[in-house]
Amino acid sequence: MARPSGVRLVKRRYPSARGVPALLLGAFGMAACADPPPVSETVQFTVPAGSSLAQVTDTLVAHDLVAFPRLFQLFARARGDDRGIQAGVYEVPIEAGWQDLLDQLVAGRMVTVPLTLPEGFTLRQIAARLADFTGEEPESVERVLFAEAAEARWNVPGPGLEGYLFPDTYHFAPGVDLETIIETLVERYQSVWTPTWRARADSLGLSLSEVTALASIVEAEALRDSEMPIISGVFHNRLRIGIPLQADPTVQYALGERRARLLYADIDSVADHPYNTYARTGLPPGPIGSPGEGAIEAALHPAEVPFLYFVARPDGTHIFTSTLAEHNQARVEARREWDELERRTQDAN
């Protein structure tokens, strides 16, 4: 008899009553066999969606996990598990008892594969990762993610799905379909919006879309979590007095690609783009990436600071200033540090 596909098991010459509960064996007038030798082999098998208890039992028999199918089915029905078994891919020890086996099948403790989406990923970056994860063509994944009125289909603020596929590490069963993944990521975004957060957004006069957009900019600007509330405070100050945010990541987003160094010519090339926060005041139409909880928290609770400007240092920190004159001086200082880093790097090479 051929070994089932993908199975690692130890074949036994004689059937055993392994895993049959002692009381149940007694009720049927059977004696338990000797304890099996200790092994560490595992068996992987699939329970297809819609499988009946008889079909599940056949699968377990084929994988040498159950030797007495009718008795196993009686045991499952006595426990009330005959209709509770979940579909999926499972991996269990070859010596698993019936109780442990049914516990795992009913709880749905199946084999999973991790999927990590880092904070700040754009929808296009997420599309590429989902294509790798699912094995689908990138163009096919992008068509789903960038579909017209996707926000209505998935019940997110919009525009589109940008910013609403929450960054985290997820665990999915092998072969999970794309729509199930998207639904899970959206549900995770919705779950972080507690009533407290919603009330806080209302008190700031901001919609969920606006908070997520601001949080996505904070996420893109901050290399250190400790600076997120300060950066948020700078942007809140600018929004309050009505001056442009002048956030470089929004221009990068408008350009459609990340530039190592943003030039004035780059900013001018997308002067009419709605996401160019140098040319327009207020928040952009939507998020520029997927912010994590820390960035959303910072957007909702900005630090009370007097700053209107900041400039990045090579070590990931920023110099925060309140006036344009101070900002210009900070830019000179930061440029000196960047030039020194470049010189050391060239010397090292």
Side-chain angles (χ1 to χ4, degrees), residues 124-137:
R124 202 164 299 281
Q125 289 174 307
I126 292 174
R129 183 150 299 189
L130 293 187
D132 288 340
F133 187 80
T134 61
E136 295 191 29
E137 292 296 325

Side-chain angles (χ1 to χ4, degrees), residues 13-190:
R13 185 170 298 175
Y14 304 103
S16 73
R18 182 184 63 258
V20 181
L23 289 176
L24 191 56
L25 284 174
F28 284 85
M30 299 178 65
C33 65
D35 291 337
V39 293
S40 59
E41 291 282 344
T42 59
V43 178
Q44 190 174 105
F45 61 92
T46 300
V47 175
S51 295
S52 66
L53 177 60
Q55 291 170 322
V56 173
T57 303
D58 288 343
T59 297
L60 299 178
V61 169
H63 291 77
D64 200 31
L65 289 167
V66 168
F68 300 96
R70 291 190 178 182
L71 197 57
F72 175 80
Q73 291 181 50
L74 286 174
F75 178 58
R77 290 192 177 98
R79 281 170 45 106
D81 292 340
D82 51 315
R83 295 184 181 275
I85 294 173
Q86 298 189 42
V89 179
Y90 294 87
E91 187 168 15
V92 301
I94 186 67
E95 72 275 14
W98 289 2
Q99 182 170 323
D100 290 341
L101 187 57
L102 284 167
D103 284 346
Q104 185 164 342
L105 291 172
V106 171
R109 296 194 296 270
M110 58 194 73
V111 174
T112 58
V113 182
L115 169 66
T116 298
L117 301 178
E119 289 88 348
F121 253 33
T122 65
L123 195 58
R124 202 164 299 281
Q125 289 174 307
I126 292 174
R129 183 150 299 189
L130 293 187
D132 288 340
F133 187 80
T134 61
E136 295 191 29
E137 292 296 325
E139 296 79 7
S140 175
V141 175
E142 288 191 4
R143 277 196 298 272
V144 175
L145 295 186
F146 290 95
E148 187 175 353
E151 65 271 20
R153 178 182 179 185
W154 301 104
N155 192 29
V156 295
L161 293 180
E162 186 74 83
Y164 307 110
L165 303 185
F166 199 77
D168 206 340
T169 294
Y170 300 85
H171 292 84
F172 293 103
V176 64
D177 61 271
L178 178 62
E179 292 198 0
T180 298
I181 295 175
I182 296 172
E183 183 178 3
T184 302
L185 304 186
V186 169
E187 287 178 351
R188 179 74 178 91
Y189 168 82
Q190 293 167 337

